[in-house]
Amino acid sequence: MNSLLKTVQRTSGKILSVYYTAGFPKLEDTISDMQAMADKGVDFVELGMPFSDPLADGPVIQQASTQALANGMGLKRLFEQLKQFNGTLPLPVLLMGYLNPVLQYGPEQFCRDARQAGVAGLILPDVPFSEYNSLLKELMQRYGLHFVFLVTPTTPESRIREIDAVSTAFIYAVGASSTTGTRTAIEERAVFLRRLYQMKLKTPLITGFGINDQSSLGQAWKYTSGAITGTAYIRLRMMHDDPHKALDKLFQQLGIQPEKTI
Amino acid sequence: MNIHPDDRGYYGAFGGAWIPELLQANVSELEGSYRSIIASKGFQEEFRHLLKDYVGRPTPLFFAGNLSEHYGTRIYLKREDLCHTGAHKLNNVVGQALLARRMGKEHIVAETGAGQHGVATATVCALLRLPCTVFMGKKDMERQQLNVLRMRMLGAEVQEVTSGSQTLKDATNEAIRYWINHPLNTYYLIGSTIGPHPYPDLVASLQSVISREITTQLQEKENKEVPDYVVACVGGGSNAAGAFFHFIGNGVTRLIGAEAAGKGVQSGETAATITLGSEGVLHGTRTLIMQDDDGQISEAHSVSAGLDYPGIGPLHAWLSQSGKADYMAVTDKEALQAALRLTRLEGIIPALESAHALAILEKIRPDKQQVLVICLSGRGDKDMDTYQKYADRL
């Protein structure tokens, strides 16, 4: 699990992470997509735990979540699937989702099972910084999991500093104030990322939301350590049965050679 | 009795602001300004003026003689159905729209279930010349066509929501998403005591005009300030919050919320959130919600679009858990029967939502001398299709 740390602290930067939804398009694709991402040299994945009401996601990821749920995906099923790797996943994995399923599963049980599965950390956008301390902080430490916070152009500098102080892996820079999958003004994102860069935070930054072409990726790589792309991949995955093929198309769309990310 | 949440937005274990960082700035801005703006003299003057001359307040407290005789007790109806636009929803909308304007917001976004909140929002936005966008589930648009027409005539942009169950829950998701994508100049005008702190407190405070008026009116009519019962329907819980507000924890008044059982609490097609729900987080608040073992939110069902919501305001979750109010489930059929009864006995066609509160009369046995106040939250014009279908089956 320290490989996530090693990855994000890589001084050369140019990290590429891909988000995909567990159990989409077919239930067993949780595994096939993870394997494909490892094969293709993706640095780490954000594995989406589908939720019925994904507030911070756009329509494409919601559609993938709805289908995954219809396929029977759920947290118990997800941890079952991950067992086949015997605790060593083919690349660093962060689980990304919403609080309610984790609450129902039981936060401690969830952390224990995630740790056992070899998961590196957790992103729960609807757990605000202020609630994190009482609900999850101690569990994250006990089970050696990273918790990743989001910062946006509207986050005050004081909170960015507080988040920097408690972050253990990286900070997720939301390129613009928007749900995932919207095209954001290039300039707005550049201003924000430059501002973050100039803050000289101790924690590496990785940019997500709206990474869907060469210029958005270029910006993310210029000002931060890496980029996370989600909606662009899900769209391609809807068109291609083979995740390798979808990833090839993704790299093409982002204007990169797969080798560059290794 | 303190019926405001604590500084972090909690009523006991319920409430808070469980929102993504994308919304923090918006919610903090609202949280930091709503109390002082609402308390200001200028706001209060404008708000009271509009409540009186535009909304039509105070609404009457009507002694329902025939209904009282039928049940052998003293029943008053708080006539929120006589508010402009036909429901209590306007009280909240007038207050929040004035607040939005004072905060310098230029665009209003709202969700709606039955369309009453959407119509109220479109109405006040026309009055205050604010552009507005209303999100409404496709299913609700089909069963509440009249309200869709009203909103459009008033100049609102009505956005059809086709995700999920295509009802209030999904309209709320889309309204919040729109807010995330337009964070700077948009005000999210939520229609019930749900959502992240400070919305539940804000909406309850604005609706508390209902119980304040009841207090004065009962004094005139019964020479007492406190009724023995207050009954109101609960979807998200705004008219109930307003009707209960000044009576919570007074040691005398029994507060009863009527939630929608749909086809029956155990039928799988229900919106009986307090009866069936468990603790969870939905739409930014920690409350009781209907969910499956995996924490996925269940689809609610009720014949009444306004009660078709799988969550409940955190205030009500707390009132229920602490025993300060009781919540009972009323089926579609019981509500329809109660609506017909009121219509025939008093010449008032109630909204289907309010009919759930009326159905509680079949479930309690008050004494002859006791005084009941039922919040008649809305009128039934919008439900004529449903009533017609039901009447055809009789």
Side-chain angles (χ1 to χ4, degrees), chain A residues 7 10 13 27 29 48 61 64 69 73 113 144 149 155 165 182 192 241:
Chain A
T7 302
R10 199 170 68 194
L27 190 59
D29 286 327
I61 289 178
L69 291 173
M73 183 42 69
D113 289 355
F149 292 99
T155 309
T182 52
F192 173 55
D241 281 342

Side-chain angles (χ1 to χ4, degrees), chain A residues 9 15 17 32 34 40 47 57 65 69 75 83 91 93 104 127 142 150 194 203 205-206 216 229 234 248:
Chain A
Q9 285 168 355
I15 293 161
S17 169
S32 52
M34 190 182 294
K40 292 282 177 187
L47 178 53
D57 289 301
S65 290
L69 291 173
L75 290 181
K83 269 187 188 150
L91 76 174
V93 172
Q104 282 305 108
V127 176
R142 191 183 320 159
L150 277 60
R194 205 178 300 129
T203 316
L205 288 155
I206 299 196
S216 49
T229 181
I234 300 288
D248 286 341

Side-chain angles (χ1 to χ4, degrees), chain B residues 256-304:
Chain B
I256 301 176
E259 56 178 7
K263 293 184 179 169
V265 169
Q266 299 304 334
S267 68
E269 292 183 61
T270 180
T273 309
I274 289 182
T275 309
L276 286 178
S278 52
E279 286 184 31
V281 168
L282 177 64
H283 294 145
T285 190
R286 183 164 186 144
T287 186
L288 296 172
I289 54 182
M290 298 201 311
Q291 55 187 326
D292 67 15
D293 293 343
D294 191 42
Q296 307 297 336
I297 311 303
S298 307
E299 292 188 4
H301 167 86
S302 166
V303 68
S304 134

Side-chain angles (χ1 to χ4, degrees), chain A residues 50-58 62 69 73-76 99-101 103-104 125-131 134-135 150-152 154-156 159 163 174 176-179 182 209, chain B residues 8 10 15-22 24-25 28 163-164 169-170 172-174 176-177 180-184 278-284 286 289 291-298:
Chain A
F51 181 50
S52 52
D53 295 80
L55 272 187
D57 289 301
Q62 175 162 27
L69 291 173
M73 183 42 69
L75 290 181
K76 286 189 193 103
L99 177 62
N100 200 57
L103 281 180
Q104 282 305 108
D126 58 348
V127 176
F129 185 61
S130 54
E131 300 279 5
S134 51
L135 185 75
L150 277 60
V151 299
T152 79
T154 56
T155 309
R159 188 156 63 243
I163 286 171
V174 176
S177 293
S178 65
T179 49
T182 52
F209 287 50
Chain B
R8 292 168 62 236
Y10 280 89
W18 297 86
I19 46 168
E21 183 61 33
L22 301 131
Q24 286 293 349
S28 304
S163 58
K169 162 177 93 80
D170 309 282
T172 306
N173 288 340
E174 291 301 333
I176 293 176
R177 280 198 188 115
I180 289 175
N181 287 323
H182 303 83
L184 296 177
S278 52
E279 286 184 31
V281 168
L282 177 64
H283 294 145
R286 183 164 186 144
I289 54 182
Q291 55 187 326
D292 67 15
D293 293 343
D294 191 42
Q296 307 297 336
I297 311 303
S298 307

Side-chain angles (χ1 to χ4, degrees), chain A residues 70-177:
Chain A
N71 291 343
M73 183 42 69
L75 290 181
K76 286 189 193 103
R77 188 69 62 92
L78 175 59
F79 286 127
E80 280 296 313
Q81 288 182 334
L82 294 181
K83 269 187 188 150
Q84 71 185 76
F85 292 111
N86 294 318
T88 309
L89 301 175
L91 76 174
V93 172
L94 285 169
L95 294 177
M96 194 264 181
Y98 293 82
L99 177 62
N100 200 57
V102 174
L103 281 180
Q104 282 305 108
Y105 196 88
E108 173 140 27
Q109 185 67 40
F110 178 86
C111 291
R112 190 183 300 137
D113 289 355
R115 167 76 193 203
Q116 214 154 40
V119 164
L122 192 55
I123 305 178
L124 296 174
D126 58 348
V127 176
F129 185 61
S130 54
E131 300 279 5
Y132 168 76
N133 287 331
S134 51
L135 185 75
L136 289 172
K137 189 178 176 184
E138 202 261 330
L139 286 175
M140 291 290 120
Q141 286 165 351
R142 191 183 320 159
Y143 292 96
L145 296 165
H146 298 291
F147 193 85
V148 175
F149 292 99
L150 277 60
V151 299
T152 79
T154 56
T155 309
E157 179 168 344
S158 56
R159 188 156 63 243
I160 296 177
R161 299 263 177 222
E162 286 178 289
I163 286 171
D164 185 39
V166 302
S167 290
T168 51
F170 68 92
I171 295 173
Y172 193 136
V174 176
S177 293

Side-chain angles (χ1 to χ4, degrees), chain B residues 122-137:
Chain B
T123 298
V124 176
C125 285
L127 177 73
L128 300 182
R129 299 182 182 191
L130 285 164
C132 84
T133 305
V134 178
F135 287 90
M136 188 171 188

Side-chain angles (χ1 to χ4, degrees), chain B residues 344-375:
Chain B
R344 295 291 166 83
L345 285 175
E346 301 288 351
I348 298 170
I349 301 177
L352 267 167
E353 291 78 14
S354 320
H356 286 73
L358 292 160
I360 294 295
L361 291 167
E362 296 285 317
K363 298 174 187 280
I364 54 175
R365 290 278 169 267
D367 295 338
K368 207 166 67 183
Q369 292 310 316
Q370 287 191 306
V371 172
L372 280 79
V373 175
I374 295 175
C375 189

